[in-house]
Amino acid sequence: MGFVAVGQRQDAPASIERLVSLVSVDMERVNRMILSRTGSDVAMIPEVANHLISSGGKRLRPMLTLAHAALCGYHGDGHIKLAASVEFMHNATLLHDDVVDESDMRRGKLAARMLWGNEASVLVGDFLLGQAFRMMVEVGSLGALDVLSTAAAVIAEGEVMQLSAAKNTATTEADYLAVIGAKTATLFAAACEVGPILAGSSPIERAACRAYGMNLGIAFQLVDDALDYGGTSAKLGKNVGDDFREGKLTLPVVLSLQRADDEQSAFWRRALEAGETGTEQLEHAIGLMHANGALADTSERARHYGGLAIDSLDVFPDGPMKRALTETVEFCIARAY
Amino acid sequence: MGFVAVGQRQDAPASIERLVSLVSVDMERVNRMILSRTGSDVAMIPEVANHLISSGGKRLRPMLTLAHAALCGYHGDGHIKLAASVEFMHNATLLHDDVVDESDMRRGKLAARMLWGNEASVLVGDFLLGQAFRMMVEVGSLGALDVLSTAAAVIAEGEVMQLSAAKNTATTEADYLAVIGAKTATLFAAACEVGPILAGSSPIERAACRAYGMNLGIAFQLVDDALDYGGTSAKLGKNVGDDFREGKLTLPVVLSLQRADDEQSAFWRRALEAGETGTEQLEHAIGLMHANGALADTSERARHYGGLAIDSLDVFPDGPMKRALTETVEFCIARAY
């Protein structure tokens, strides 16, 4: 079983290249579908949509849809439109998130809202969500529609949950897991589950694909949240400190609060509640997180969920796609180290 | 045929009471469905959703869904969830519109964004849209899903179109009709079309219901846009001047621009492009619109589309529901006078 090896492979760096390669032919079709469905006579729509969609995201979620359809032996065409739908849902969420978080940057570029305004970000997000549902309806699988429409509602619910928890120092680890399970992992889970639905797979295989996506999604978000404080090795990524400045109660902060003495408690309250989040405070926060083990433990928990994702694939026989999906988990975890 | 009588009935004021009465039993079920589907463990969701949904809107769109299902002889239960879906889509649009327009008020109350912030308005709107799609999927009609998901994309497209046209004095009447056809009339059309789809009606009946909704929707928006300048009789409604202050190129403004001499042209440009939209300018604008006939002609066009809506019902035999739908058109038009 993959659990022990996750994030610790010394032979070669973990990579998603095997996954990219196995789905590349289908992914070309998805990319063409994405391009054609952002088209509109209203010039602002393809401008805003393509600014974001063509900005070099890895397109991990649609790749997962294609991979699980293949893993389950699906031979039709429906997975192309469902993969494009999943990417549209993701990008709609990003456009709305940027408005909610008042973010200036996204994927190393100016956020759409900085170039076209909040209005355009909200409305083009709505357009992408509408187009996503149109594609799903064209595929005609009520099972896939059920999973993806439920995901849309749960994602929004998770985002509101996060909004309600913002700056609330009483947030627990369970609260945090509920938020990331809803806002991030649900779309990963749905992306993976629609493949076996199209393929008419057994309930056991369908549940396995969903579990893979759900656990990978949680691990992915945990890693993201650790990287926002520089990760375990204190790498300086370009977005370090965003969550800190927004007062987000991510796991590194939740753990730091649990482990704080009175002086540290006062520091976190000033940062989260009173917005004292300058460079000096950020450096102090990162120092505390290394000293109290919060970053190491966040990465460790990511490794735990990554292991669950890999184990969930046990119901499938060994083969190139299963191996690619295992390496994808390892790649996502390795980012934290 | 109803054309001549629209908006000119002298015997009794036009009313939607007949429609309200005929759908009241079904509407009770829709209202319960709406209440149950705004429920969430995340307390902010029902708070924000019910602030808006329970604020005394007429629920015209879901009533139209119920009415057309009955008109077409439908005897199942699917129309209840589809009617609730239509109302959720409408309210999601309102929540997002308030953010886009930076509106302070909605239906005579503070807009949700003033109480819970733009973030909550965006995200609860997304939640309602997700819940709308879940209900549609539960009904299981791919035909209805097609119509409503297409409507979701077209509505967003219309909103972006309006955003692009804002403050653009080159906007033509055709541009304006394209905007309101997309952002308002498409949901009316979809609300009416899903009834015959559920009932398995003929393509002719289905097209008739859609045409009724589309034309009523255009008339409805034309009346709204006239009322934003006090309507034909210069009634002072509570929202008079909102469009003016936002620089919206609605038909009364488009017509006024077409009919303006050089001095008036300069006035409109200062108002729309430079934002000179105080009380004095608003009064001057309303005065110009009465003098140049823009408000009378906007109401006249509303009457025209209302007549088309009524005529589209010709394919159905006379009966109480057809009469109620005719009176509904007359009621909507009469608001402008």
Side-chain angles (χ1 to χ4, degrees), chain A residues 43 70 85 109 159 229 251 264 276 297 308:
Chain A
S85 294
K109 293 166 73 172
E159 301 268 359
Y229 291 93
L251 189 60
Q264 291 168 3
E276 293 184 17
D297 288 348
L308 295 179

Coordinates of all heavy atoms in Angstrom, one line a residue, chain A residues 43 70 85 109 159 229 251 264 276 297 308:
Chain A
A43 N -18.2 40.4 -26.3 CA -16.8 40.3 -26.4 C -16.2 40.2 -25.0 O -15.1 39.5 -24.8 CB -16.2 41.5 -27.1
A70 N -11.4 6.6 -17.9 CA -10.6 5.5 -18.6 C -10.3 4.4 -17.6 O -10.4 3.2 -18.0 CB -9.2 6.2 -19.0
S85 N -17.0 20.8 -18.1 CA -17.9 21.3 -17.1 C -17.2 21.5 -15.8 O -17.4 22.5 -15.1 CB -19.1 20.4 -16.9 OG -19.9 20.3 -18.0
K109 N -1.0 36.4 -12.4 CA -1.4 37.5 -13.2 C -2.4 38.4 -12.4 O -2.9 37.9 -11.3 CB -2.2 37.0 -14.4 CG -1.3 36.2 -15.4 CD -2.1 35.5 -16.4 CE -2.8 36.4 -17.5 NZ -3.4 35.6 -18.6
E159 N -18.1 27.7 1.0 CA -17.5 29.1 0.9 C -18.2 30.0 1.9 O -17.5 30.8 2.5 CB -17.7 29.7 -0.5 CG -17.1 28.9 -1.7 CD -15.7 29.3 -2.0 OE1 -15.2 30.3 -1.3 OE2 -15.0 28.7 -2.9
Y229 N 2.0 29.6 4.0 CA 3.0 30.1 5.1 C 4.4 29.6 4.7 O 5.3 29.4 5.6 CB 2.6 29.6 6.5 CG 1.3 30.3 6.9 CD1 0.1 29.8 6.7 CD2 1.4 31.6 7.5 CE1 -1.1 30.5 7.1 CE2 0.3 32.3 7.9 CZ -1.0 31.7 7.7 OH -2.1 32.4 8.1
L251 N -5.7 25.4 8.7 CA -5.2 24.5 9.8 C -3.9 25.0 10.4 O -3.8 24.9 11.7 CB -5.0 23.1 9.2 CG -4.7 22.1 10.3 CD1 -5.9 22.0 11.3 CD2 -4.5 20.7 9.7
Q264 N 1.4 34.4 22.8 CA 1.2 34.0 21.4 C -0.3 34.1 21.1 O -0.7 34.6 20.0 CB 1.6 32.5 21.2 CG 3.2 32.4 21.3 CD 3.6 30.9 21.3 OE1 2.8 30.0 21.2 NE2 4.9 30.7 21.4
E276 N -3.6 43.1 12.3 CA -2.2 43.5 12.3 C -1.4 42.4 11.6 O -0.9 41.4 12.2 CB -1.7 43.6 13.8 CG -2.4 44.8 14.5 CD -1.8 44.9 15.9 OE1 -0.8 44.4 16.3 OE2 -2.5 45.6 16.7
D297 N 2.8 19.4 11.0 CA 1.6 18.6 11.2 C 0.6 18.8 10.1 O -0.2 17.8 9.8 CB 1.0 18.9 12.6 CG 2.0 18.4 13.7 OD1 2.9 17.6 13.4 OD2 1.8 18.7 14.9
L308 N -5.0 7.8 2.1 CA -6.3 7.3 2.0 C -6.8 7.3 0.5 O -7.4 6.4 0.0 CB -7.3 8.1 2.8 CG -7.2 8.1 4.3 CD1 -8.2 9.0 5.0 CD2 -7.3 6.6 4.9

